[in-house]
Amino acid sequence: MNLRIGIVGLPNAGKSTLFNALLKKQAALAANYPFATIDPNIGIVQVPDERLKVLAEIVKTNKIVPATVEFVDIAGLVRGAHSGEGLGNKFLSHIRETSAICYVLRFFKDPEVIHVSDRVDPKEDLAILNEELILADLQTLENQKEPKKNAGKEDQLRWQLVNTLKRHLNNNQPAREIKLDEEELELIKSLNLLTLKPAIYVANLDEDQLSQSREVLADFSLKPVIALSAKIESELIDVKETERREFLQSVGIDEPVLNKLAKISYDTLGLMSFLTAGTLEARAWTIPKNTPAVTAAGVIHTDFSQKFIKAEIVTFADFVNSGGWTNSRLQGKVRQEGRDYLMQEGDVVEFKIGA
């Protein structure tokens, strides 16, 4: 499945700088003035997974295929964005198809970098962002038409949900905070409501704030939140990996931003990875947690679900300790699982498919 993260924030919050750090290249214009980003920046990056290198060595393949995540960096939003202020209305459409929204909040103070409101107040910035996304969703809901009297039960229920959502949004409550069951979520899925998407928060700090990030974020209660310095991360783009890690650790960062964001995105969206390892490639596949084996097989190829016979599964640790498929089988570490088996994080699998 495709993991797509939309990056939003006020102008000069550090969105494009973060985007460049994630892609490890200067892909987006990061300038000291509002609306430097006009067209959305889109980039696909590999999700770091050290397990794949280990698997590749064991099965003697040179091809490693990590899972990927796509980032979409849109123009900075300002108050009134939902109605077109500051170019925002057009670009909100670019994050409607994303899996989650990453809110970049400016905590750093730098007189050389203009703030659109001439102040640094991340809580107020977040309030503006939430307000604009809520108003954009209300516009979507207002465009829905009441079903005719002879409409089916499903259409009637969908209309009830539209009105329920309107009430909550008008009370400044994002759609993600409303308790909806799976059936209800499916009924409104096509609306692509922005405030229904899971939220991830990035606190963009300066170097001095990083060393005391816990204190800086003490009053910020929303979770999950990642503390980082987009400026520092982007300045280290061309630095060797070992040197980059050493410097980040020296300023209190235990791992690069992409690693953190990937892990939190997976947790927030309830995702996991299973692994395949053969002479052709070592590969990670992204699926929702509690995915049955027959469905996971279909992620590799749709025919695999239709012709599924069984899954041969070994844990990553057992696969490594045994030295590959042959010894894992000889040592009894490989399990035969049926179509209803729920895949687990790090399962190494071979699907057996019929003709």
Side-chain angles (χ1 to χ4, degrees), residues 133-143 165-166 169-170:
L133 298 187
I134 284 173
L135 290 171
D137 280 350
L138 279 170
Q139 285 185 345
T140 298
L141 294 171
E142 291 294 343
N143 290 333
L165 287 162
K166 283 182 185 178
L169 291 171
N170 276 313

Side-chain angles (χ1 to χ4, degrees), residues 19-279:
F19 180 85
N20 290 334
L22 290 167
L23 269 66
K24 296 183 181 178
K25 60 182 180 181
Q26 296 297 333
L29 174 61
N32 180 24
Y33 52 86
F35 315 122
T37 304
I38 301 300
D39 295 321
N41 299 304
I42 299 175
I44 298 175
V45 299
Q46 298 177 340
V47 177
D49 193 334
E50 295 297 324
R51 297 173 300 185
L52 294 177
K53 294 180 182 178
V54 178
L55 292 180
E57 290 179 5
I58 292 173
V59 298
K60 294 180 171 52
T61 181
N62 293 320
K63 186 176 181 181
I64 294 176
V65 185
T68 60
V69 57
E70 181 176 325
F71 292 101
V72 182
D73 168 34
I74 69 166
L77 301 179
V78 294
R79 182 165 275 128
H82 71 283
S83 59
E85 288 295 325
L87 308 175
N89 188 41
K90 174 182 177 182
F91 300 113
L92 284 174
S93 63
H94 293 293
I95 57 173
R96 289 202 179 277
E97 303 299 327
T98 58
S99 309
I101 294 180
C102 176
Y103 294 77
V104 179
L105 303 173
R106 176 175 175 173
F107 281 73
F108 70 89
K109 297 178 180 179
D110 185 343
E112 300 298 319
V113 180
I114 303 166
H115 190 290
V116 70
S117 299
D118 292 325
R119 51 101 182 112
V120 175
D121 187 341
K123 287 186 177 180
E124 177 62 21
D125 291 351
L126 180 58
I128 292 173
L129 293 171
N130 280 331
E131 178 185 356
E132 292 308 314
L133 298 187
I134 284 173
L135 290 171
D137 280 350
L138 279 170
Q139 285 185 345
T140 298
L141 294 171
E142 291 294 343
N143 290 333
Q144 304 308 302
K145 303 296 182 183
E146 182 175 3
K148 297 179 180 178
K149 291 182 179 180
N150 60 350
K153 181 180 178 181
E154 190 173 281
D155 288 335
Q156 296 290 351
L157 178 57
R158 186 177 185 275
W159 180 245
Q160 291 175 19
L161 284 171
V162 166
N163 286 304
T164 298
L165 287 162
K166 283 182 185 178
R167 288 195 300 272
H168 283 278
L169 291 171
N170 276 313
N171 287 325
N172 205 35
Q173 184 180 7
R176 74 178 70 91
E177 296 179 6
I178 305 168
K179 290 184 178 180
L180 300 171
D181 60 32
E182 289 186 13
E183 180 185 359
E184 291 171 328
L185 289 170
E186 188 62 31
L187 284 174
I188 60 172
K189 183 178 179 180
S190 62
L191 297 177
N192 283 323
L193 297 178
L194 297 170
T195 65
L196 188 59
K197 300 179 186 300
I200 300 167
Y201 303 96
V202 166
N204 192 9
L205 314 176
D206 58 36
E207 186 172 340
D208 292 335
Q209 291 171 321
L210 271 178
S211 60
Q212 48 185 340
S213 59
R214 188 168 296 179
E215 292 82 359
V216 173
L217 297 176
D219 293 333
F220 191 82
S221 59
L222 295 176
K223 307 293 181 184
V225 59
I226 302 172
L228 56 83
S229 170
K231 180 181 179 182
I232 291 176
E233 296 270 1
S234 66
E235 288 175 347
L236 296 174
I237 288 173
D238 297 323
V239 176
K240 291 182 179 179
E241 183 67 21
T242 53
E243 295 177 9
R244 187 159 65 95
R245 284 182 178 272
E246 288 175 1
F247 179 81
L248 290 174
Q249 289 173 357
S250 73
V251 293
I253 301 174
D254 53 357
E255 58 183 340
V257 58
L258 177 57
N259 299 47
K260 283 187 176 182
L261 191 51
K263 288 177 182 177
I264 287 180
S265 298
Y266 270 60
D267 288 342
T268 302
L269 294 167
L271 301 176
M272 53 163 276
S273 295
F274 71 87
L275 310 169
T276 55
T279 55

Side-chain angles (χ1 to χ4, degrees), residues 261-327:
L261 191 51
K263 288 177 182 177
I264 287 180
S265 298
Y266 270 60
D267 288 342
T268 302
L269 294 167
L271 301 176
M272 53 163 276
S273 295
F274 71 87
L275 310 169
T276 55
T279 55
L280 293 179
E281 65 181 21
R283 184 164 183 161
W285 305 84
T286 303
I287 56 173
K289 292 178 180 177
N290 298 317
T291 295
V294 65
T295 305
V299 173
I300 297 177
H301 196 288
T302 52
D303 284 351
F304 284 18
S305 285
Q306 299 166 2
K307 301 176 181 179
F308 180 94
I309 296 176
K310 64 181 178 180
E312 293 192 342
I313 291 176
V314 57
T315 66
F316 173 76
D318 284 341
F319 189 90
V320 173
N321 291 335
S322 300
W325 281 112
T326 300
N327 285 336

